[in-house]
Amino acid sequence: MSRLDNKVCLVTGAASGIGKRIAEVYAANGGKVVIADLKLDAAEATAAEIRAAGGDALAVAMDVTDERQVIDGVAKAVAHYGRVDVLVSNAGIQIVNRITDFSLADWKKMLAIHLDGAFLTTRECLKDMQARKQGGAIIYMGSVHSHEASKLKAPYVTAKHGLLGLARVVAKEAAEYGVRANVICPGFVRTPLVEKQIPEQAKELGISEQDVVRNVMLKDTVDGEFTTVDDVANTALFLAAFETNALTGQSLVVSHGWYMQ
Ligand code: NAD
């Protein structure tokens, strides 16, 4: 029996970076994966790569901030595979700025993607999980910034802290249906989201890009190393395959010791 045993796993933001690797690892471990992303072309390409490697994948267009698109995207996944067993709410972006320079539009955009997206996808997937009464797993992509703060990241830190609260409520409300909710909190991972931040932070802080990596991003790790997409995907696999409510309402920090709980 494979670790995911044909579980249907919907991963948002799965056309790039961490979400893409989670989808690949889930498929390689027997999951049927739904690649839900704003960018349908990239989602289709990821699904095609997974099918070419022998996996089972479906691409759906989904802007997680759009209620209609989330309802329709989850319905499409359920129509295709019959159910959703695992949700990974992973889609996210980063906008860095000083609080005094943040526009309300950017603040709202950040909270919409990270929090509205987590709420809407949870609501729709949980309805299916509760109706079938066969359990499930909901995994939120938090961050070390679910526990720590950094300069220039007010809405990101606010939203990532908020996911801990959402996960704890879902853990309590959904326990009777055997649905678990947990948060993965990675340190810095070299995805497009982080590559974009390095020159932006260098400019904002008036330091070199090398110093952003060495003295800002990896400063508090135990070994000066980036976390990898595989580190995060393997944690997501462990949480998706975990069988009981013993592990729920938690956050797992995967950060080379940057933050120790
Ligand atoms: P990425 O930019 O490589 O991928 C993000 C994906 O999300 C893209 O495919 C993008 O199209 C999609 N997306 C963006 N807005 C969307 C929307 N409204 N609806 C649906 N899809 C949308 O980024 P990543 O680094 O892989 O980040 C994934 C998650 O991991 C984010 O939640 C991020 O905050 C979190 N995270 C990243 C790091 C890191 O260092 N890279 C660290 C901790 C947490």
Side-chain angles (χ1 to χ4, degrees):
M1 196 170 79
S2 64
R3 285 190 74 186
L4 291 180
D5 193 26
N6 289 321
K7 283 190 169 68
V8 178
C9 310
L10 189 148
V11 185
T12 70
S16 173
I18 291 171
K20 182 175 180 181
R21 190 65 193 136
I22 290 173
E24 290 167 349
V25 168
Y26 278 3
N29 282 275
K32 299 172 188 291
V33 291
V34 182
I35 313 294
D37 204 284
L38 191 60
K39 296 177 186 154
L40 183 58
D41 287 356
E44 298 275 16
T46 301
E49 282 168 32
I50 288 172
R51 286 193 293 267
D56 193 340
L58 169 76
V60 301
M62 187 189 289
D63 177 346
V64 297
T65 69
D66 184 315
E67 185 172 22
R68 189 72 256 159
Q69 287 191 32
V70 174
I71 292 170
D72 291 349
V74 174
K76 196 173 166 191
V78 172
H80 188 82
Y81 286 125
R83 63 193 190 280
V84 175
D85 300 297
V86 177
L87 163 67
V88 184
S89 171
N90 164 80
I93 63 163
Q94 180 61 278
I95 302 174
V96 292
N97 219 333
R98 289 177 193 280
I99 290 177
T100 45
D101 294 329
F102 250 109
S103 68
L104 181 59
D106 280 351
W107 169 268
K108 285 186 171 171
K109 185 176 178 182
M110 287 293 289
L111 296 199
I113 294 172
H114 292 273
L115 291 180
D116 298 2
F119 159 67
L120 289 170
T121 51
T122 298
R123 191 183 70 188
E124 294 312 305
C125 292
L126 194 50
K127 281 181 194 166
D128 174 69
M129 293 172 188
Q130 290 190 352
R132 286 182 301 97
K133 297 190 171 66
Q134 289 170 346
I138 297 180
I139 298 164
Y140 299 101
M141 197 51 62
S143 164
V144 164
H145 287 113
S146 298
H147 297 277
E148 286 276 2
S150 289
K151 288 177 181 172
L152 309 177
K153 296 189 175 176
Y156 189 82
V157 170
T158 303
K160 293 299 190 190
H161 275 64
L163 291 175
L164 299 178
L166 178 61
R168 289 168 184 154
V169 176
V170 174
K172 290 197 174 192
E173 286 192 14
E176 65 182 289
Y177 302 96
V179 177
R180 297 164 286 286
N182 292 289
V183 186
I184 300 176
C185 299
F188 282 101
V189 184
R190 281 203 102 134
T191 65
L193 178 140
V194 161
E195 295 296 348
K196 179 173 167 281
Q197 278 176 67
I198 297 172
E200 287 173 359
Q201 290 214 24
K203 191 165 166 237
E204 276 294 330
L205 298 171
I207 58 178
S208 71
E209 293 189 16
Q210 197 186 29
D211 281 346
V212 170
V213 170
R214 208 172 35 203
N215 299 335
V216 179
M217 292 182 165
L218 304 180
K219 177 170 69 75
D220 293 321
T221 61
V222 292
D223 52 11
E225 299 272 347
F226 276 101
T227 300
T228 66
V229 288
D230 280 320
D231 295 327
V232 183
N234 288 330
T235 309
L237 176 62
F238 166 72
L239 287 174
F242 200 86
E243 295 279 336
T244 74
N245 283 350
L247 182 45
T248 195
Q250 304 303 311
S251 70
L252 263 72
V253 184
V254 187
S255 71
H256 285 260
W258 167 10
Y259 179 80
M260 299 191 192
Q261 320 200 61

